[in-house]
């Protein structure tokens, strides 16, 4: 494993739109860094600064989180977490086949599950005042339910998606958390317990506290 | 690099809904296998079979493509292509930092660009008869334009997204191809040329011919 000597720096929202509930994508990178015991620095960026050349040079799409480690600059939470997992033990199995399957779950989280959850969020936040949203929401939730039903079926009585806890679970738990109050995850007792198991991990709790502290500092000032 | 001795088997639609235009996700896996010169078998699955236990044991979400290599079974095109890229030269740079950046573009393709393109597709295919779709489509396309503008800005005059052609470009080109006839990619001459460069690669053309042959056989029978 290549060990870079420098402490990495990630970016996060200066003013968290979720009011410290840990729903933004820096949460998953913080959690991964806590799981492997890697200290990190955080650079807070405002919504205005995210669209400026300095931040766009880190992420052309103007989003958080980004990850800087010496000369290396990465974006996309999935890519950042895979990078961390490749450099530290604790997030991916050592055996080639189980490792490949854990990475499959990372992609499933961001490519098969998260997009419909984001579509629901966009419908509520951006199109909440449109007349059609009341009719469209049940259609979106029908598609979310289909996916969660399949995920619940796969998980069954297992603790994690494929053997031991991995970066695939870390990604999936953070994705499933993005519908607070919807009750959709709670329709499957095993999925709700799965998310709770993730949230109970000490590394998760340290990461959650760190992002909450940012919100509390910003709202106190 | 671990070399498995067995020839991999992928799954693809028995009856391609895109009529052989190479828009389904098996296309990107075929392309990756062609880039590295790895022969493969294809198991065609019907829409009904995709929801049956046999296929669900390969992919709990009942989608194609899946990938079988000896005992290993994977799904998610991003994960499959990363697996292929790790076992064969030609799809990822050898240097750790440029390799990590290429993987970042794989995630950007499936997590930042593809979801809004799929949302547009869903609006047209599933909600095309709804009164609101005429008003919603420009809103979705506004979001697509914003992302494509940023991607075009990043690409500039470069041939590929980050140095030499990589699995990141392979994923991005196949994602951008999923809006044929929309004219959205063509609004940026550099993006249209980028997609055309991908399509001009001999490996792409072999993969395209292979998936087209499946459609032609199914429509002739």
């Amino acid at each position: 494993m290549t060990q870079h000597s420098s402490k990495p720096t990630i970016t996060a929202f200066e003013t968290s739109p979720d009011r410290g509930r840990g729903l933004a994508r820096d949460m998953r990178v913080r959690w991964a860094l806590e799981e492997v015991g890697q200290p990190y620095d955080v650079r807070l960026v405002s919504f205005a600064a995210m669209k400026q050349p300095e931040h766009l040079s880190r992420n052309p799409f103007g989003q958080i989180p980004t990850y800087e480690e010496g000369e290396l600059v990465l974006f996309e939470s999935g890519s950042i977490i895979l990078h961390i997992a490749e450099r530290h033990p604790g997030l991916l199995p050592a055996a080639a086949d189980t490792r490949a399957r854990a990475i499959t779950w990372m992609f499933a989280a961001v490519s098969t599950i998260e997009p419909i959850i984001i579509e629901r969020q966009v419908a509520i936040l951006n199109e909440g005042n449109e007349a059609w949203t009341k009719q469209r929401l049940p259609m979106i939730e029908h598609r979310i339910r289909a996916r969660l039903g399949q995920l619940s079926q796969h998980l069954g009585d297992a603790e994690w998606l494929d053997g031991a806890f991995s970066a695939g679970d870390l990604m999936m738990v953070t994705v499933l958390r993005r519908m607070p109050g919807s009750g959709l995850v709670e329709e499957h007792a095993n999925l709700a317990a799965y998310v709770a198991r993730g949230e109970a991990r000490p590394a998760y709790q340290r990461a959650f506290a760190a992002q909450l502290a940012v919100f509390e500092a910003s709202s106190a000032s």
Side-chain angles (χ1 to χ4, degrees), chain A residues 150-161 189-191 197:
Chain A
Q150 292 164 322
L151 186 66
S152 168
Q153 183 77 24
H154 168 82
L155 183 64
D157 295 328
E159 206 172 352
W160 306 110
L161 290 169
N190 66 341
L191 291 186
R197 262 192 300 280

Side-chain angles (χ1 to χ4, degrees), chain A residues 22-37:
Chain A
L23 307 182
R25 290 186 177 98
D26 61 299
M27 176 63 202
R28 49 187 85 158
V29 174
R30 291 175 186 269
W31 184 7
L33 288 164
E34 292 288 352
E35 286 284 348
V36 303

Side-chain angles (χ1 to χ4, degrees), chain A residues 166-179:
Chain A
S166 80
D169 295 297
L170 187 154
M171 296 297 284
M172 190 64 82
V173 166
T174 54
V175 162
L176 294 176
R177 289 189 74 251
R178 300 193 71 165
M179 301 183 289

Side-chain angles (χ1 to χ4, degrees), chain A residues 49-182:
Chain A
M50 287 168 66
K51 309 303 170 193
Q52 296 303 310
E54 189 192 336
H55 190 73
L56 291 171
S57 74
R58 294 180 205 119
N59 177 350
F61 303 110
Q63 296 179 307
I64 62 97
T66 57
Y67 178 94
E68 293 154 74
E69 182 190 299
E71 295 297 302
L72 177 66
V73 183
L74 299 177
F75 60 100
E76 290 289 336
S77 58
S79 167
I80 294 169
I81 290 167
L82 185 56
H83 172 81
I84 295 166
E86 286 181 339
R87 270 146 196 79
H88 302 271
L91 286 172
L92 283 177
D97 283 7
T98 43
R99 179 179 176 281
R101 292 205 305 268
I103 293 171
T104 291
W105 283 108
M106 295 180 70
F107 276 98
V110 298
S111 178
T112 297
I113 305 292
E114 190 169 37
I116 36 173
I117 294 178
I118 301 285
E119 187 171 340
R120 179 177 176 278
Q121 216 170 66
V122 168
I124 293 171
L125 296 179
N126 298 14
E127 301 176 28
N129 294 326
E130 305 288 353
W132 60 71
T133 295
K134 206 179 156 185
Q135 281 171 272
R136 274 194 76 240
L137 261 185
M139 298 169 69
I140 298 174
E141 293 182 349
H142 178 79
R143 288 160 52 210
I144 294 176
R145 283 194 169 92
R147 288 287 177 240
L148 295 188
Q150 292 164 322
L151 186 66
S152 168
Q153 183 77 24
H154 168 82
L155 183 64
D157 295 328
E159 206 172 352
W160 306 110
L161 290 169
D162 191 346
F165 174 83
S166 80
D169 295 297
L170 187 154
M171 296 297 284
M172 190 64 82
V173 166
T174 54
V175 162
L176 294 176
R177 289 189 74 251
R178 300 193 71 165
M179 301 183 289
S182 72

Side-chain angles (χ1 to χ4, degrees), chain A residues 7-26:
Chain A
K7 185 156 92 165
T9 298
I10 68 168
T11 49
F13 290 126
E14 186 178 77
T15 312
S16 168
D18 71 4
R19 304 184 58 81
R21 287 183 295 171
L23 307 182
R25 290 186 177 98
D26 61 299

